[in-house]
Amino acid sequence: MDNIQIVIDGPAGAGKSTISKIVAEQLGFLYIDTGAMYRAVGLKALSLNYDTKNDSNLIAQLMDNIKIDLKHGDNGQQVFLDDKNVTAEIRTPEVSIAASDVSAIPAVRISLANIQRKLAKQNNIVMDGRDIGSYVLPNADIKIFLTASLEDRAKRRYNELLKKGKDVSFENVLSDMNYRDTNDSNRELAPLVVPDGAIVIDTTGNTLEQSIKLLSDTIKERLNCLLK
Ligand code: DC
């Protein structure tokens, strides 16, 4: 049998990466956080002082030479940009916005989608993102669309940032998330949509533990049917 592809799409802050990572560990599959790749491109554009909303041509050219590696070790997924570990650096609010901006550039999407498809060919994967089930791997074995209300997602992200000691206001987190939702859903190539055949899971009001259980039970049930 070919490698198994489990894909989890959804808007920012729905808990995709936290939950996908845990489910991948439970199954012994490779976890691939495609948002981290867009964040690495966003970080590179910012480090060159590019305007991430308007310098599309310059940012597209970056894709010819950029080196993005996701390495998996004891400390979880580590993200390397041009051989430098940027795992922490890509998680700032500025990089979130830059990632959303650069993700609207077709050359960036095409280049990252190629890397993602290669990874999926070589491993059993749990891959999360915005367009994995609709564009990158439309024939994936299991497709999930994980979502929650904007307010709930912003609250979760706000609490995460506070825990990391960041000085942020809830209003800013909410407005950044709203900006990203609009951006991610309205770009021309591969916007955020519910993929055909996806199971929609809404985690509004759930605790993280409840969401993890819901997702992991759903995936295991589907996987059992698939492997029968
Ligand atoms: O999942 P995340 O918040 O780390 O993603 C950062 C940005 O990257 C997000 O706003 C949109 C973009 N993205 C994308 O366009 N396609 C993906 N498959 C993953 C992320």
Side-chain angles (χ1 to χ4, degrees):
M1 184 168 176
D2 287 342
N3 287 316
I4 296 175
Q5 300 173 349
I6 300 173
V7 305
I8 304 184
D9 290 302
K16 294 185 304 293
S17 41
T18 313
I19 302 176
S20 304
K21 206 180 300 168
I22 293 171
V23 172
E25 248 166 45
Q26 291 174 350
L27 297 172
F29 285 16
L30 184 67
Y31 165 58
I32 299 161
D33 171 3
T34 62
M37 298 177 177
Y38 288 92
R39 285 172 181 272
V41 178
L43 178 65
K44 177 137 188 178
L46 288 179
S47 72
L48 293 166
N49 287 324
Y50 290 171
D51 172 345
T52 53
K53 198 74 197 152
N54 294 304
D55 287 339
S56 310
N57 289 340
L58 288 172
I59 296 167
Q61 283 167 26
L62 288 181
M63 301 316 288
D64 295 338
N65 290 312
I66 201 165
K67 186 163 183 269
I68 299 171
D69 296 301
L70 303 184
K71 296 187 181 166
H72 298 82
D74 293 343
N75 301 332
Q77 175 191 261
Q78 302 287 307
V79 185
F80 288 78
L81 169 62
D82 297 330
D83 295 321
K84 180 183 167 216
N85 191 331
V86 294
T87 310
E89 242 177 295
I90 58 169
R91 297 292 159 193
T92 64
E94 295 72 32
V95 176
S96 298
I97 295 290
S100 183
D101 286 343
V102 302
S103 76
I105 303 169
V108 172
R109 301 208 71 79
I110 290 166
S111 162
L112 294 185
N114 282 337
I115 300 175
Q116 292 154 11
R117 289 186 186 118
K118 249 185 225 155
L119 287 167
K121 249 196 186 152
Q122 294 159 353
N123 306 277
N124 289 326
I125 48 121
V126 177
M127 187 178 282
D128 79 0
R130 301 289 189 290
D131 61 339
I132 311 303
S134 57
Y135 173 72
V136 179
L137 302 171
N139 299 318
D141 301 287
I142 301 176
K143 297 184 192 180
I144 308 275
F145 189 83
L146 193 67
T147 189
S149 71
L150 173 64
E151 281 271 326
D152 240 47
R153 291 185 284 117
K155 253 187 239 161
R156 291 176 198 169
R157 186 52 55 87
Y158 174 65
N159 288 331
E160 252 171 51
L161 290 167
L162 284 189
K163 254 193 207 157
K164 286 186 187 164
K166 305 272 187 230
D167 181 19
V168 285
S169 76
F170 177 70
E171 287 67 33
N172 281 351
V173 174
L174 184 77
S175 96
D176 279 5
M177 202 157 266
N178 198 17
Y179 172 88
R180 289 212 283 151
D181 278 2
T182 309
N183 235 3
D184 297 347
S185 305
N186 290 297
R187 62 175 173 242
E188 262 170 46
L189 178 63
L192 172 67
V193 289
V194 178
D196 278 347
I199 307 164
V200 179
I201 296 183
D202 188 328
T203 64
T204 306
N206 284 8
T207 62
L208 181 61
E209 288 68 31
Q210 287 168 331
S211 303
I212 293 168
K213 179 156 182 0
L214 185 60
L215 203 75
S216 127
D217 287 352
T218 308
I219 289 175
K220 282 178 190 156
E221 194 188 310
R222 286 287 163 126
L223 213 47
N224 279 338
C225 294
L226 234 133
L227 298 174
K228 257 181 200 160

